[in-house]
């Protein structure tokens, strides 16, 4: 009977040792997982901040594109008018140079 009791105590001792080792391993795994979660949350936070900054930059670039589009539309819309006005101005300057050089335009009109 003493042999059985000693054997049972030895088995119980082994069980306690293995259970303690298992508990310690589980605690270490929990600590590691907690650190991984904290690291992942930090990375997520940085990514979200970066994404917000990118969204703001994209919005600014979109506004710039709209402004450029408006300017381009203006130039295209009034190109012919501006070209005609510039040609008239160049003709007027040519006439003025001719008058200053001594040309007489009274007979033409």
């Amino acid at each position: 009977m003493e042999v059985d009791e000693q054997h049972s105590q030895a088995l119980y001792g082994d069980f306690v040792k293995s259970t303690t080792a298992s508990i310690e391993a589980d605690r270490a795994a929990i600590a590691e997982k907690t650190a991984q979660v904290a690291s992942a949350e930090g990375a997520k936070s940085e990514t979200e901040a970066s994404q917000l900054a990118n969204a703001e930059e994209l919005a600014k670039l979109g506004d710039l594109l709209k402004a450029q589009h408006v300017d381009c539309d203006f130039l295209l819309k009034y190109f012919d008018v501006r070209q005609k006005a510039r040609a008239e101005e160049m003709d007027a300057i040519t006439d003025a140079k001719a008058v200053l050089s001594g040309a007489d335009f009274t007979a033409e009109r």
Side-chain angles (χ1 to χ4, degrees), residues 29-50:
I30 289 171
E32 182 181 338
K33 299 286 184 191
T34 303
Q36 288 176 351
V37 167
S39 175
E41 286 176 354
K44 179 184 172 194
S45 169
E46 290 175 8
T47 302
E48 287 174 346
S50 175

Side-chain angles (χ1 to χ4, degrees), residues 87-106:
E88 289 173 358
E89 184 180 353
M90 288 172 52
D91 290 342
I93 289 172
T94 303
D95 290 347
K97 282 174 52 179
V99 167
L100 291 174
S101 295
D104 187 12
F105 290 105
T106 56

Side-chain angles (χ1 to χ4, degrees), residues 37-108:
V37 167
S39 175
E41 286 176 354
K44 179 184 172 194
S45 169
E46 290 175 8
T47 302
E48 287 174 346
S50 175
Q51 192 174 19
L52 286 175
N54 287 342
E56 290 174 4
E57 183 69 21
L58 186 59
K60 288 179 186 177
L61 290 174
D63 292 341
L64 178 63
L65 179 62
K66 287 178 187 174
Q68 292 292 332
H69 195 341
V70 169
D71 288 346
C72 185
D73 287 346
F74 175 81
L75 290 175
L76 289 175
K77 183 177 180 180
Y78 293 106
F79 178 77
D80 294 332
V81 174
R82 292 175 66 190
Q83 192 174 22
K84 181 180 175 187
R86 192 160 327 271
E88 289 173 358
E89 184 180 353
M90 288 172 52
D91 290 342
I93 289 172
T94 303
D95 290 347
K97 282 174 52 179
V99 167
L100 291 174
S101 295
D104 187 12
F105 290 105
T106 56
E108 289 182 22

Side-chain angles (χ1 to χ4, degrees), residues 19-33:
T19 303
T20 303
S22 175
I23 290 172
E24 291 301 319
D26 289 344
R27 285 184 181 157
I30 289 171
E32 182 181 338
K33 299 286 184 191

